[in-house]
Amino acid sequence: MSMHEEFSDETAETGSDELLSDDHLRLPENASPLVRLHAIRSWLKRRQRETVIEIGEAALQLQHVQLSYEQEGRLRRRELQQQSDRLTHIQQTFTEAQERLQAYEEAEAILEDCVNHTTVGDRLLVEYYLQLEDLVMTYQTEYKTPRIQALADVQQRVEHVGIANEDE
């Protein structure tokens, strides 16, 4: 295989991953279980990449705020409070993004475990969905944590691409 052909295949695969990871993806009713599985994997990878970027941006903001705080020295009480509030907000954003990333990684591990223990077919995604549901119910609290919300988002993705659309 020439280098040009290899690059074209890599580009085509990346393009298909981008298409399959789209939030508004509509698969035909007769789409194979493998395509549905790949759509879920691609979506999980995209969400992980986006969350890693969010973590990086929050870390940079934290660094910037801390450096500006050190450089400014003494601040008035109101400015100090604003700086403290901003720092708290950025730290919360950072922590929530880390929780979501861990949830997406956990969901990916559960999916791969399902793939390894279930024949790839329509049943695979049903088993995966049920395992996610058990996990969400186990950790359900009065309010939705970033982790629970991320796992619920994965469940919605499985519903969206894993089940044939009967209303179309």
Side-chain angles (χ1 to χ4, degrees):
M1 179 181 278
S2 75
M3 195 160 84
H4 178 66
E5 291 171 350
E6 192 173 314
F7 180 73
S8 295
D9 289 345
E10 200 173 287
T11 304
E13 187 174 315
T14 301
S16 67
D17 283 349
E18 286 177 22
L19 290 173
L20 288 173
S21 71
D22 182 27
D23 288 330
H24 304 291
L25 174 69
R26 286 283 184 211
L27 290 174
E29 190 173 321
N30 63 351
S32 79
L34 284 174
V35 171
R36 294 179 191 285
L37 173 63
H38 191 66
I40 292 169
R41 281 180 170 154
S42 297
W43 183 86
L44 277 169
K45 288 293 184 191
R46 191 193 91 213
R47 295 302 286 247
Q48 288 174 14
R49 281 191 310 270
E50 291 171 351
T51 306
V52 165
I53 290 169
E54 187 178 344
I55 290 169
E57 289 172 346
L60 286 173
Q61 287 180 344
L62 276 172
Q63 184 180 28
H64 177 71
V65 168
Q66 289 170 340
L67 285 174
S68 68
Y69 178 72
E70 290 171 6
Q71 291 173 351
E72 291 178 11
R74 294 189 55 102
L75 296 173
R76 293 184 185 144
R77 184 189 311 222
R78 186 175 61 191
E79 291 170 333
L80 187 59
Q81 184 61 45
Q82 288 174 341
Q83 191 91 354
S84 177
D85 291 347
R86 184 165 181 236
L87 189 61
T88 301
H89 174 72
I90 295 168
Q91 287 172 330
Q92 182 179 357
T93 300
F94 181 81
T95 302
E96 289 175 357
Q98 285 181 317
E99 287 180 35
R100 281 194 310 280
L101 179 60
Q102 289 171 347
Y104 291 134
E105 289 171 345
E106 183 178 12
E108 181 181 39
I110 293 168
L111 177 60
E112 294 312 316
D113 189 52
C114 283
V115 169
N116 292 332
H117 294 98
T118 307
T119 305
V120 175
D122 293 331
R123 182 174 172 205
L124 170 74
L125 295 180
V126 171
E127 291 291 327
Y128 179 53
Y129 182 87
L130 292 174
Q131 285 189 26
L132 288 171
E133 186 172 54
D134 286 345
L135 195 58
V136 168
M137 296 308 260
T138 301
Y139 294 106
Q140 191 69 42
T141 60
E142 290 179 23
Y143 64 97
K144 291 199 176 208
T145 64
R147 181 172 187 259
I148 296 297
Q149 186 58 51
L151 292 171
D153 289 346
V154 176
Q155 272 189 295
Q156 287 177 337
R157 180 60 177 188
V158 174
E159 287 176 7
H160 184 75
V161 300
I163 302 165
N165 296 324
E166 290 136 9
D167 56 331
E168 290 183 12

